[in-house]
Amino acid sequence: MFKKIGKIFIFSILIISLVGCGKKVEEKKTETKDVAKENTYLSMYEEYLKNDFYGGEEIKVNKFTGGFFKANKDDKNPFLVVKYQADDKEYYIKVLHISGDEVIASDDYKSTSISYLYNLEEARVEYFIKGISYHTIYKSILDIIEEKDKVTELSEDDFNQDYVYIEEPIEFYSVKESSLADDLAKLDETYKKYDMTKVDKKVEEIENNRLKADDTGIYNSQYRIKYGTYLYSEGENSKLTLNKDNSAHEDGWLNGGWDGSYHLLYDRIKTEMSGLQSHDLEFIIIDNNKIQRVDDKTIWNLVQ
């Protein structure tokens, strides 16, 4: 009898112990989930905005517009663009990104928008802040995030050299202090569902029109021109010679003409001549061994 009671007692203790261990394991799992949740980029941005943006002393705002974007395809976390109106009634953009377990905030740039620019050398789309001043300057968000000493700055005159502007609007959405977590979640959903089809098509167009050079000439996806001399009118002594080594010569009204060089501007050939009353010209390729001057639309054909 006592042996049975003893066995029952021991068995009960084992059951109670197992249940207790199960609860501890469950509590540990829950705790781990909570920690993981706290370390997501959404919760990190939420914490920063709550304490350092809305709760900061320098900026007195209760809402902003913005969006999540990726600087590189392989980035684990997106960066966050914050656009707000300050006390001076001007609009500013601040870029937030995550480095390790910390949210890093950029300087405040006077701006109302960001833009897509296609990096020709790297063959990738990048984001730039469109600055507002006496003339428009575009600043590289990638360089800002990477905290480079010198941030790439471009004016519209610089377009089509190393970068090509993509005319496609980038929308921002409202984030209020009173609904911070929900609004950030909506931004995240929009970011994950964003369709880049239009941008991808424009990138394809850029690559199709892009000029390249090899040992025999200059070409794009449709046409090719040989190195040599091009004439725009049989009755005029106006010739342009393009050489493989990027040197150029232009014959004109001045005896001897002008010597110089040329380089490729995305879809154009630009000459840079030296000498008295010389001038720079830009040409596009319109057919095999046929180029067109951009300013006066004259057609120049290969003659030798």
Side-chain angles (χ1 to χ4, degrees):
M1 180 69 177
F2 288 108
K3 286 183 181 179
K4 286 184 180 180
I5 293 172
K7 287 181 180 179
I8 292 169
F9 179 72
I10 292 169
F11 184 69
S12 300
I13 290 173
L14 286 171
I15 291 174
I16 292 169
S17 299
L18 289 172
V19 170
C21 289
K23 284 183 178 179
K24 286 180 181 179
V25 170
E26 189 64 33
E27 286 172 3
K28 192 171 183 181
K29 285 182 180 178
T30 304
E31 185 181 339
T32 303
K33 286 180 181 178
D34 290 340
V35 170
K37 183 180 178 183
E38 288 173 4
N39 288 334
T40 64
Y41 63 81
L42 272 180
S43 59
M44 291 177 71
Y45 284 130
E46 180 186 350
E47 191 69 18
Y48 174 87
L49 291 167
K50 189 186 299 179
N51 297 327
D52 296 278
F53 185 75
Y54 290 129
E57 295 181 359
E58 295 182 7
I59 303 172
K60 303 295 183 183
V61 296
N62 56 19
K63 68 177 180 179
F64 69 83
T65 58
F68 287 118
F69 307 93
K70 244 181 191 177
N72 296 293
K73 288 183 179 179
D74 297 331
D75 286 351
K76 180 181 177 182
N77 301 313
F79 64 87
L80 174 61
V81 171
V82 172
K83 185 181 84 171
Y84 67 93
Q85 187 176 28
D87 292 338
D88 60 4
K89 304 303 179 184
E90 298 283 357
Y91 281 95
Y92 293 87
I93 279 180
K94 180 188 287 288
V95 178
L96 308 180
H97 74 280
I98 293 173
S99 177
D101 58 355
E102 185 180 5
V103 173
I104 307 295
S106 74
D107 293 333
D108 298 284
Y109 301 94
K110 191 181 289 186
S111 173
T112 59
S113 63
I114 64 174
S115 303
Y116 298 111
L117 272 81
Y118 185 66
N119 184 326
L120 290 169
E121 183 177 355
E122 300 293 336
R124 68 183 181 192
V125 176
E126 296 182 13
Y127 295 94
F128 277 68
I129 295 173
K130 184 179 180 180
I132 300 173
S133 61
Y134 60 93
H135 67 282
T136 304
I137 293 292
Y138 295 77
K139 295 179 183 287
S140 167
I141 290 180
L142 181 61
D143 288 354
I144 292 170
I145 289 173
E146 293 180 350
E147 301 179 57
K148 291 188 176 179
D149 293 333
K150 188 175 181 181
V151 173
T152 300
E153 294 186 355
L154 303 172
S155 70
E156 292 178 357
D157 291 336
D158 297 320
F159 290 171
N160 298 334
Q161 297 185 41
D162 298 318
Y163 292 85
V164 179
Y165 178 78
I166 296 178
E167 191 173 352
E168 187 66 29
I170 298 176
E171 295 184 3
F172 292 159
Y173 300 90
S174 179
V175 178
K176 297 179 181 178
E177 183 178 12
S178 58
S179 53
L180 178 58
D182 289 341
D183 290 345
L184 284 177
K186 289 176 184 176
L187 283 194
D188 190 46
E189 186 178 352
T190 301
Y191 150 70
K192 288 175 178 176
K193 291 182 178 179
Y194 189 74
D195 186 1
M196 290 286 284
T197 302
K198 290 183 179 179
V199 175
D200 291 340
K201 284 183 178 179
K202 290 183 179 180
V203 167
E204 186 178 354
E205 289 175 12
I206 290 170
E207 284 294 340
N208 286 338
N209 292 323
R210 181 178 182 178
L211 292 183
K212 298 178 182 179
D214 59 18
D215 288 340
T216 59
I218 301 167
Y219 63 96
N220 58 23
S221 63
Q222 288 184 291
Y223 308 118
R224 171 180 286 273
I225 64 167
K226 295 179 180 179
Y227 300 117
T229 301
Y230 289 79
L231 177 71
Y232 88 85
S233 173
E234 295 294 341
E236 297 287 342
N237 186 27
S238 291
K239 297 178 182 178
L240 175 68
T241 301
L242 303 173
N243 299 311
K244 179 182 173 181
D245 63 358
N246 288 97
S247 63
H249 178 81
E250 183 184 350
D251 290 324
W253 60 269
L254 186 68
N255 289 336
W258 301 275
D259 288 312
S261 62
Y262 71 89
H263 62 275
L264 305 182
L265 288 179
Y266 162 46
D267 61 345
R268 299 182 181 192
I269 303 166
K270 183 176 181 178
T271 65
E272 295 179 350
M273 298 299 179
S274 59
L276 181 66
Q277 296 185 11
S278 64
H279 51 285
D280 300 335
L281 303 176
E282 291 186 11
F283 297 86
I284 58 172
I285 298 177
I286 59 170
D287 203 342
N288 292 321
N289 298 322
K290 185 178 290 188
I291 57 178
Q292 182 180 58
R293 191 166 146 178
V294 172
D295 56 355
D296 63 10
K297 309 301 181 185
T298 52
I299 308 298
W300 300 50
N301 294 284
L302 179 69
V303 291
Q304 64 184 50

PDB file of all heavy atoms in Angstrom, residues 16 21 77 93 95 115 160 252 271 301:
ATOM      1  N   ILE A  16       4.537  17.375 -12.460  1.00  0.00           N
ATOM      2  CA  ILE A  16       4.586  18.797 -12.096  1.00  0.00           C
ATOM      3  C   ILE A  16       5.882  19.422 -12.613  1.00  0.00           C
ATOM      4  O   ILE A  16       5.896  20.543 -13.136  1.00  0.00           O
ATOM      5  CB  ILE A  16       4.468  18.981 -10.561  1.00  0.00           C
ATOM      6  CG1 ILE A  16       3.060  18.584 -10.119  1.00  0.00           C
ATOM      7  CG2 ILE A  16       4.788  20.412 -10.159  1.00  0.00           C
ATOM      8  CD1 ILE A  16       2.910  18.462  -8.611  1.00  0.00           C
ATOM      9  N   CYS A  21       8.772  22.836 -16.507  1.00  0.00           N
ATOM     10  CA  CYS A  21       9.805  23.018 -17.529  1.00  0.00           C
ATOM     11  C   CYS A  21       9.205  23.490 -18.849  1.00  0.00           C
ATOM     12  O   CYS A  21       9.760  24.334 -19.543  1.00  0.00           O
ATOM     13  CB  CYS A  21      10.550  21.703 -17.774  1.00  0.00           C
ATOM     14  SG  CYS A  21      11.630  21.246 -16.391  1.00  0.00           S
ATOM     15  N   ASN A  77      18.274  45.911 -44.641  1.00  0.00           N
ATOM     16  CA  ASN A  77      17.281  46.879 -44.169  1.00  0.00           C
ATOM     17  C   ASN A  77      17.162  48.053 -45.130  1.00  0.00           C
ATOM     18  O   ASN A  77      18.166  48.516 -45.671  1.00  0.00           O
ATOM     19  CB  ASN A  77      17.683  47.415 -42.787  1.00  0.00           C
ATOM     20  CG  ASN A  77      17.799  46.314 -41.752  1.00  0.00           C
ATOM     21  OD1 ASN A  77      16.927  45.458 -41.637  1.00  0.00           O
ATOM     22  ND2 ASN A  77      18.895  46.314 -41.000  1.00  0.00           N
ATOM     23  N   ILE A  93      14.519  67.345 -45.874  1.00  0.00           N
ATOM     24  CA  ILE A  93      14.583  65.876 -45.950  1.00  0.00           C
ATOM     25  C   ILE A  93      15.733  65.385 -45.088  1.00  0.00           C
ATOM     26  O   ILE A  93      16.847  65.920 -45.139  1.00  0.00           O
ATOM     27  CB  ILE A  93      14.731  65.390 -47.400  1.00  0.00           C
ATOM     28  CG1 ILE A  93      13.355  65.387 -48.094  1.00  0.00           C
ATOM     29  CG2 ILE A  93      15.351  63.991 -47.466  1.00  0.00           C
ATOM     30  CD1 ILE A  93      13.365  64.922 -49.527  1.00  0.00           C
ATOM     31  N   VAL A  95      17.574  61.600 -43.936  1.00  0.00           N
ATOM     32  CA  VAL A  95      17.665  60.186 -44.299  1.00  0.00           C
ATOM     33  C   VAL A  95      18.101  59.390 -43.073  1.00  0.00           C
ATOM     34  O   VAL A  95      19.112  59.708 -42.442  1.00  0.00           O
ATOM     35  CB  VAL A  95      18.670  59.974 -45.444  1.00  0.00           C
ATOM     36  CG1 VAL A  95      18.794  58.476 -45.769  1.00  0.00           C
ATOM     37  CG2 VAL A  95      18.245  60.740 -46.687  1.00  0.00           C
ATOM     38  N   SER A 115      14.925  61.767 -56.259  1.00  0.00           N
ATOM     39  CA  SER A 115      14.820  61.390 -57.667  1.00  0.00           C
ATOM     40  C   SER A 115      15.618  60.130 -57.961  1.00  0.00           C
ATOM     41  O   SER A 115      16.567  59.797 -57.252  1.00  0.00           O
ATOM     42  CB  SER A 115      15.334  62.525 -58.564  1.00  0.00           C
ATOM     43  OG  SER A 115      14.649  63.721 -58.333  1.00  0.00           O
ATOM     44  N   ASN A 160      23.608  62.971 -68.034  1.00  0.00           N
ATOM     45  CA  ASN A 160      24.010  62.298 -69.271  1.00  0.00           C
ATOM     46  C   ASN A 160      25.519  62.129 -69.397  1.00  0.00           C
ATOM     47  O   ASN A 160      26.004  61.717 -70.453  1.00  0.00           O
ATOM     48  CB  ASN A 160      23.472  63.012 -70.516  1.00  0.00           C
ATOM     49  CG  ASN A 160      21.965  63.031 -70.550  1.00  0.00           C
ATOM     50  OD1 ASN A 160      21.315  62.175 -69.971  1.00  0.00           O
ATOM     51  ND2 ASN A 160      21.389  64.022 -71.217  1.00  0.00           N
ATOM     52  N   GLY A 252      36.715  73.964 -91.152  1.00  0.00           N
ATOM     53  CA  GLY A 252      35.671  74.963 -91.294  1.00  0.00           C
ATOM     54  C   GLY A 252      36.179  76.141 -92.080  1.00  0.00           C
ATOM     55  O   GLY A 252      37.064  76.017 -92.925  1.00  0.00           O
ATOM     56  N   THR A 271      32.263  67.108 -78.882  1.00  0.00           N
ATOM     57  CA  THR A 271      33.622  67.511 -79.229  1.00  0.00           C
ATOM     58  C   THR A 271      34.057  68.677 -78.341  1.00  0.00           C
ATOM     59  O   THR A 271      33.230  69.474 -77.885  1.00  0.00           O
ATOM     60  CB  THR A 271      33.710  67.941 -80.703  1.00  0.00           C
ATOM     61  OG1 THR A 271      32.909  69.117 -80.912  1.00  0.00           O
ATOM     62  CG2 THR A 271      33.227  66.832 -81.623  1.00  0.00           C
ATOM     63  N   ASN A 301      27.539  62.730 -92.962  1.00  0.00           N
ATOM     64  CA  ASN A 301      27.755  61.375 -93.465  1.00  0.00           C
ATOM     65  C   ASN A 301      29.254  61.039 -93.547  1.00  0.00           C
ATOM     66  O   ASN A 301      30.086  61.922 -93.779  1.00  0.00           O
ATOM     67  CB  ASN A 301      27.156  61.218 -94.879  1.00  0.00           C
ATOM     68  CG  ASN A 301      25.652  61.349 -94.856  1.00  0.00           C
ATOM     69  OD1 ASN A 301      24.947  60.437 -94.443  1.00  0.00           O
ATOM     70  ND2 ASN A 301      25.152  62.515 -95.291  1.00  0.00           N
TER      71      ASN A 301
END
